Every structure is written in C-alpha cells, then in structure tokens.
Amino acid sequence: MTRLLKKIPRYTTDEEIEKLKAAAQFNAQLMDMLRPHVQAGTTTEQLDQLAHEYTLDHGHTPACLGYHGYPNTICTSVNEIVCHGIPNDVALKDGDIVNVDITTIVDGWYGDQSETFMIGEVTPAAKRLVQTTFDAMFLGIRACKPGGPVSLIGRAIQSFAKENGYAVVREYQGHGIGQDFHQDPGIPHFPTPTSRRDLLKPGTCYTVEPMLNIGGWKTKVDKDDGWTVRTLDRSLSAQFEHTVLMTEDGPEILTLTQDGPQEGHVF
C-alpha cells in the first residue's frame, strides 16, 4: 500500500515571507514589552492584560484567546507547570520560574514564541534547567539543514537533555505555523518515525519549543480547567520557543527579540 505524503505548507514568495516576518517581529516586540513586568509582585493576570491591550492597541489579534475555548491571551506556566498555564491572580515571587508563551495574528499570519523567566534569586537547580533548555532550543534549531528530516531537531535536543540529566516532554511538540496556528509538520523534540520522514524544505515555517523536566517526562492535564499541564512528579519544567523559517541557506529565526537573551547567552 502506498503511503500518502502529507502536504507541508511552504512559503516562498516575497510577499509571504514579508508577512511571516511582520507577524513574528510584532510577537517579539510584544515579548520585549512584557519583559520588565515579569518580576516578583506581578500577577500573571496582569501580564495577560498588558499583552491583550498592547496587541489590540496595535490592531492585531491575540491568537490564543478563544482558541478551542482557551480563556486568555497568553499562557503563563509557573514552576512545575509544563505548558498552557492559565493566568491568575497569584503574584510571582522570588525563586519562581515562569514560561511566558505568546502568539499573535498580524494580517492573517501567526507569530509564536516563549521564554522562561527566572524571578529574583532562583535555586542553582532551577537556573541550570533554564540554561540547558535555552541551549537545547538553539541546538535543535541549528541541527537541521534545508531538506533535512525533522528528526535531526529532536535527536539534537534529546541527546543534549539526556547528557545533562533532564527528560524531554513527549506529549507536546513544536508545529508548522504560518497562515494557521498549528499545521504540518509536527516538530517532536525527540526522534520519531514520522519526524524521520518529514523534510524541512525551504519555505517551511515551524516552531522549535523544547520542554525539559528535572524529573520524568510524563505530564498530567488539570481536570478542573482542562488546560494546565503539570509534570506528573511535580518536578520543575522549563521551555523556550522560537518561530523558524527554513531558507535555502538554512534556518532563520524570525522571533528574535531586541532585549531578550540571544543565542549563546549565559544566564
């Protein structure tokens, strides 16, 4: 039986690439706006409100708000929360780590990224986890070349995480992005049979967003809200994410911020 190859969207015209970059650059701008507010004493609800107002004031659309019923503009995942944390009225405090995940729609095109912030003085274990996750994202981004299999990304991330004693979350992954929020190809952060077949040809736009845990890789969704994902063993989790465009010359990161940590940064 012949296996049907999936149709992976590719964006190759100057207009398409310009729109992709505009969406990603606004998203990065939004992250930089939020950056100084991610501190002890600020609630994640306040961060959400700031992001919501800023996005609307610039004429754009919060992509997460109402997505499959999600109730807020951004996701804020604190400590053992892996992803999809719903903003609330609990203030951030010294020692917390919090992932801020933002996605916006600009003229019908999506930009998506996240960062894990350390609040005040965190433990050495938390700092090492954040650093390793940050480095793993860039290793994954740089691992794949034009036309190469998606699995190179997961192989690089899993190898680096294992080498440093961390587990890679398996239930959640990166994804194609462009004129849709989530599209092919899926970008798992460990090698899979499908990721060995899917190729990142020039024009493919996707996210790389590894989630690393100090403990095991298994997670559990909160039954009360249906969104919040925690580590099963309640160990700390960290995540970083960029939107990436594969070009003829290799991967180009579209969501680089002006004020945030750049590739090679040491926290």
Side-chain angles (χ1 to χ4, degrees), residues 54-259:
Y54 190 85
T55 302
L56 295 185
D57 286 348
H58 285 77
H60 305 316
T61 304
C64 290
L65 183 61
Y67 182 75
H68 292 298
Y70 185 76
N72 289 81
T73 291
I74 65 175
C75 297
T76 49
S77 302
V78 182
N79 296 330
E80 78 281 1
I81 299 176
V82 176
C83 59
H84 305 161
I86 297 175
N88 58 34
D89 61 359
V90 178
L92 296 169
K93 63 183 185 302
D94 282 352
D96 284 339
I97 62 172
V98 55
N99 178 266
V100 177
D101 193 340
I102 59 176
T103 311
T104 48
I105 308 170
V106 177
D107 194 23
W109 294 74
Y110 288 75
D112 189 8
Q113 71 197 101
S114 82
E115 290 185 27
T116 295
F117 293 82
M118 294 178 285
I119 308 301
E121 291 294 322
V122 303
T123 65
K127 185 175 182 180
R128 183 171 178 268
L129 171 67
V130 171
Q131 182 73 63
T132 303
T133 308
F134 179 77
D135 294 341
M137 174 186 64
F138 282 105
L139 283 171
I141 289 171
R142 301 303 178 196
C144 199
K145 306 304 178 187
V150 169
S151 59
L152 294 177
I153 296 172
R155 184 182 303 167
I157 290 171
Q158 185 181 53
S159 176
F160 184 67
K162 185 177 180 181
E163 183 181 303
N164 283 277
Y166 299 117
V168 178
V169 171
R170 298 186 181 185
E171 296 99 330
Y172 304 92
Q173 61 180 14
H175 51 88
I177 191 168
Q179 289 182 290
D180 290 307
F181 195 163
H182 297 99
Q183 59 191 34
D184 286 329
I187 310 290
H189 303 111
F190 62 101
T192 68
T194 299
S195 69
R196 294 185 184 99
R197 294 192 296 263
D198 290 342
L199 304 181
L200 291 174
K201 297 180 180 179
T204 308
C205 192
Y206 54 98
T207 68
V208 176
E209 46 182 302
M211 291 148 268
L212 269 54
N213 299 342
I214 284 181
W217 61 265
K218 292 183 179 180
T219 65
K220 185 176 182 179
V221 179
D222 190 303
K223 291 181 179 178
D224 291 333
D225 64 38
W227 283 101
T228 305
V229 178
R230 293 182 174 86
T231 53
L232 188 62
D233 56 15
R234 297 304 177 96
S235 62
L236 285 180
S237 183
Q239 179 187 19
F240 284 88
E241 173 186 14
H242 271 308
T243 294
V244 181
L245 176 67
M246 183 58 76
T247 75
E248 296 284 356
D249 299 319
E252 179 182 354
I253 301 170
L254 303 186
T255 44
L256 289 175
T257 60
Q258 289 190 0
D259 302 332

